[in-house]
Amino acid sequence: MAHLLLIEDEVGIQVTIEDRLRSEGYSVESVADGRAGLERASGGGIDLIVLDRMLPSLGGLQICKELRSAGIATPVLMLTAKGQLTDRVSGLRAGADDYLVKPFQMEELVARIEALLRRDRMRATAHSPPEYRFGEIRISPKEASVFRSGQRLQLSAKEYQLLLYLVQNPRRVLSRKELLREVWQYRAEISTRTVDVHVGWLRQKVELDPRRPRWIVTRHGIGYIFDPTESGG
């Protein structure tokens, strides 16, 4: 049973879509706020996102852009009241996989969801991304999720992106400047403790003893290194 995330702030539309998709056998989770929707979508465990373009706090276009920039390939079906060609093109360029203009027939919504899920299954079979493992941790880029002893960890989008970048660059000392550039897309020279704070949060979730980290190790005066052979320090 596919698990769908519906990010829609209009209560009537939300309830109608939820009821129809559940009647079709889908598991449906709903969020009404843009930023909350992005956080949930980044947390993994979602097979497809039905995303409204106009949302409180963060619009659908920006949500799409941030998901794709984070390497999250979950299929996105965007809903909008705007039907102009330029609006559809902007949605697709932002990373949406399909576009449906309100008002729409529920039969078409269901058919488009089925097509996107079918396409995603075929793509996943042909191009399954590698998983990463260290200790009791398993990272699944396909699900954009991190597991510890089989239990999904609740990581923020940036925590997940940081961890993924670290494990994709093992045994290499990564400066704070590089991490700010590659994970946060900061281009200018800035002074911030953002990297240190996020590393601290990440250690609380993946290290057995955060005060004596085994995997994400500090290289004083330089930055951090991820080394699956580290024994602590």
Side-chain angles (χ1 to χ4, degrees):
M1 179 174 60
H3 186 62
L4 311 185
L5 175 64
L6 171 61
I7 309 177
E8 168 64 67
D9 65 317
E10 294 186 43
V11 177
I13 295 176
Q14 182 187 96
V15 172
T16 300
I17 293 177
E18 282 180 347
D19 289 346
R20 179 55 187 267
L21 294 181
R22 285 173 179 149
S23 73
E24 295 287 337
Y26 295 111
S27 169
V28 185
E29 183 177 347
S30 294
V31 179
D33 176 80
R35 291 196 181 279
L38 173 61
E39 189 71 17
R40 179 61 192 93
S42 301
I46 304 296
D47 296 300
L48 182 140
I49 302 166
V50 180
L51 174 64
D52 190 25
R53 178 170 174 144
M54 304 298 293
L55 291 162
S57 77
L58 191 67
L61 291 180
Q62 189 61 33
I63 291 174
C64 261
K65 289 177 182 177
E66 295 203 23
L67 289 174
R68 298 318 186 214
S69 68
I72 298 172
T74 307
V76 173
L77 173 59
M78 184 169 286
L79 309 178
T80 182
K82 299 182 177 182
Q84 296 296 322
L85 175 61
T86 54
D87 296 317
R88 297 197 300 273
V89 169
S90 65
L92 296 171
R93 284 180 172 169
D97 297 275
D98 202 355
Y99 206 94
L100 195 55
V101 178
K102 300 175 182 178
F104 51 81
Q105 296 296 317
M106 293 304 299
E107 288 79 4
E108 183 177 8
L109 174 68
V110 171
R112 287 176 183 257
I113 288 172
E114 290 173 349
L116 287 175
L117 289 172
R118 184 166 56 249
R119 185 193 311 168
D120 188 58
R121 285 193 294 268
M122 293 173 64
R123 180 176 58 191
T125 301
H127 305 285
S128 182
E131 292 190 339
Y132 302 92
R133 295 176 183 267
F134 59 95
E136 299 176 340
I137 301 296
R138 177 173 67 88
I139 304 172
S140 172
K142 179 179 181 295
E143 301 175 76
S145 297
V146 180
F147 301 86
R148 182 172 184 171
S149 301
Q151 298 297 312
R152 189 189 307 276
L153 298 177
Q154 293 300 315
L155 269 63
S156 70
K158 277 292 179 271
E159 288 170 349
Y160 171 78
Q161 293 165 34
L162 175 60
L163 180 61
L164 189 61
Y165 190 79
L166 288 167
V167 300
Q168 288 176 338
N169 293 274
R171 302 181 183 89
R172 184 165 74 83
V173 178
L174 305 172
S175 68
R176 291 172 178 81
K177 180 179 178 181
E178 177 179 348
L179 292 171
L180 285 171
R181 183 181 67 246
E182 299 299 330
V183 178
W184 279 266
Q185 284 80 53
Y186 289 174
R187 300 305 176 194
E189 292 288 340
I190 60 173
S191 177
T192 175
R193 286 186 51 80
T194 295
V195 173
D196 300 327
V197 170
H198 279 76
V199 166
W201 290 340
L202 202 51
R203 283 172 171 166
Q204 292 291 332
K205 297 176 181 180
V206 303
E207 297 280 1
L208 293 176
D209 183 357
R211 291 176 297 180
R212 292 181 55 82
R214 178 180 181 184
W215 313 111
I216 306 171
V217 181
T218 302
R219 290 293 183 257
H220 295 290
I222 305 174
Y224 297 95
I225 183 171
F226 170 78
D227 190 342
T229 65
E230 284 284 347
S231 60

